[in-house]
Each structure stands twice: as structure tokens, then as C-alpha cells.
Amino acid sequence: AIRRQAARGRFEMLHAHMLHPEGHCALKAARATGLPLVVTGHGEDIQIDPSCGYGVRLKPGIDAQVRQVLNGADALVAISDSMKAQMIEAGARPERVSVVRWGWSLQTASGASFENPGYIVSVGRFVPKKGYDLLLRAMQLMVADHPEARLLIAGEGPDRAELERLCRALGIEGHVRFLGFIDGPAKSRLYQDASIFVCPSRWEPLGLVNLEAMGCGLPVVAFRIDGIPEIVPDGRAGLLATPGNFEALAMAMGRLLSD
């Protein structure tokens, strides 16, 4: 289909989002048409962690295809300096990689409040990468000193039932609400009525949710990982905790709630 469109002179270049599979398909099309190719990576297509099976590059065949894209594209876009370094480590030529961080368009909030204002909020998919098990354990520590604290989590994913069970096992089900998927102006309302935002991710190339929260005036608590420090200045826009340490996460959350 791309070859047919290119033959008609419909466009002058290809731009693929994700190194795999889109980038690999686009590389084949670029070679067939002679069009220049730009590929933007997003995170999971370059990041890997063998300890929990995270990242598509853990499969040797896919890793080989990603490296073909990193070597074959005319230009590459990373969404953070951290991700640029990972692209170069995987074989990209440094002069071909540019950093263009995500932006976010502030939406007008609408709808009723989800709860009385002042809660802690988090937004994301329920998968191991996002670290919601760490957030729930941090919340258990939090309520000992802040019994009034409430956590609202917006999102869906395969780990939801397991996280709800963990919530009950930790004895904090009265302090946590799972809201399901929320988007658009309702999500802006969720942010704007909260006191702090928490991003408990174990890996995050940038973290668009952090930009959303800051755009709504929220301070951020997150782990000091990957591209997050590039957009969340520690001590100014939020507090960054030791990666993977839920006790440090709880301390940062408590500090902001008390200040």
C-alpha cells in the first residue's frame, strides 16, 4: 500500500512510531520506495529488564529487527535523553538520534468531583512495569501517619484483580479506590481536585502522566528513573525517590501531604 501511494507521489518521507513492529515494517517500505525514514521510539520497544520479562527486545528475533531499524533509519527520535542513550547502546549512530520530548495539551476539566478534594491520585496501566504493587505498599505505610489519606487510581490492565487482592491483604481497601479507565476532561478534573500525583513506575522513558499532572498544578512523587528527572525537577516540581523503594516513596508522599 505504501509503495502504491509513493508511486503516485503522495508523500516525500515515512515517519513510524515505535521501533517494532511499525519501524521494522516502515524500514522495508523505505527500502522498497527509496523514501527517507524517521522512526520515533516510545519505550518498551527499546527498554529491557530480564528480571521480570519486560521489553520486546528480550526476544532475539525482535531484538535483531529493532537493531536493523536503529541502523537503517535516516533519523531517529527519542522522547528523552535517557532513551537516546539506550538507542545508542543498542547500535544507533549518535548523530542520527534527536530528542523531542512529549508535550501535552491542557484540557478544560469537567464533570463532578470524584471525591472530596485533597486525595492522592495515580493514573496508568495495571502491569508490572507501572509499579502499582509498590504504590499500595507505600500507601500502607502512609496511612499509619496520615489516616485521612485516600488514594484514587485511574486505569485498567491485566493486573487489576491481583492489585485489588493486595489492597485487601494490606488492610487499606478503605483508603484506595480503583476508578477504571478515565480520559479527557474527566481526567483533568481528577488531577485538579487532587493534592499530589504519584508515578510509581519501575521504568519510564518519560512519563506523559507526569506532564499531565504538572499541567494541572499537581506536584509529582516518582522514582528517580530513566527520563523522569528530565521533566520533574527534584524539590521544585516534585519529589523523586530511590528507584523501587516503596518506603522512600511513602516518605515523599507523606512529606508533600504535610507541606
Side-chain angles (χ1 to χ4, degrees):
I2 292 174
R3 285 197 298 268
R4 288 196 299 271
Q5 294 288 335
R8 298 170 187 167
R10 294 290 180 88
F11 41 73
E12 297 176 351
M13 62 171 288
L14 301 177
H15 183 187
H17 281 265
M18 298 293 286
L19 298 165
H20 191 277
E22 291 84 353
H24 185 243
C25 294
L27 180 61
K28 291 182 177 181
R31 288 172 173 171
T33 61
L35 292 169
L37 172 65
V38 179
V39 183
T40 296
H42 282 253
E44 189 174 354
D45 50 351
I46 191 71
Q47 293 178 318
I48 55 174
D49 186 341
S51 66
C52 70
Y54 170 69
V56 297
R57 289 178 52 221
L58 290 175
K59 296 181 179 180
I62 293 179
D63 182 61
Q65 292 176 351
V66 168
R67 291 176 185 274
Q68 288 174 10
V69 174
L70 293 174
N71 284 292
D74 297 282
L76 297 159
V77 177
I79 60 174
S80 65
D81 290 328
S82 170
M83 190 170 175
K84 176 180 179 178
Q86 292 172 59
M87 285 181 167
I88 294 171
E89 183 180 0
R93 289 165 54 181
E95 67 273 15
R96 289 188 179 180
V97 187
S98 300
V99 175
V100 181
R101 294 179 180 84
W102 283 333
W104 180 65
S105 179
L106 182 65
Q107 296 179 329
T108 303
S110 69
S113 297
F114 290 84
E115 195 169 306
N116 292 331
Y119 47 79
I120 303 164
V121 67
S122 188
V123 177
R125 292 179 294 123
F126 298 146
V127 293
K129 167 194 172 180
K130 296 297 184 179
Y132 280 106
D133 56 320
L134 299 174
L135 177 55
L136 293 179
R137 294 185 187 282
M139 192 67 186
Q140 183 190 37
L141 298 178
M142 271 278 301
V143 298
D145 296 324
H146 298 272
E148 77 290 350
R150 295 107 62 217
L151 169 64
L152 273 61
I153 306 176
E156 283 293 352
D159 290 354
R160 175 166 179 168
E162 181 179 344
L163 291 170
E164 290 175 334
R165 285 194 294 270
L166 177 60
C167 189
R168 292 190 294 271
L170 295 173
I172 57 172
E173 63 270 29
H175 297 268
V176 180
R177 286 180 60 192
F178 291 87
L179 302 176
F181 179 78
I182 294 173
D183 201 9
K187 184 162 65 171
S188 295
R189 169 65 64 193
L190 180 67
Y191 286 132
Q192 291 179 14
D193 285 347
S195 288
I196 64 174
F197 176 80
V198 182
C199 175
S201 294
R202 290 179 165 91
W203 313 276
E204 200 66 70
L206 188 71
L208 181 60
V209 289
N210 297 308
L211 293 176
E212 294 175 349
M214 291 187 294
C216 292
L218 275 183
V220 171
V221 173
F223 290 124
R224 191 180 293 103
I225 55 163
D226 300 324
I228 290 180
E230 299 176 33
I231 60 170
V232 184
D234 192 14
R236 289 173 50 210
L239 298 177
L240 301 181
T242 303
N245 188 325
F246 66 85
E247 294 176 335
L249 195 70
M251 289 179 63
M253 291 162 61
R255 178 179 167 191
L256 279 183
L257 281 184
S258 301
D259 188 340

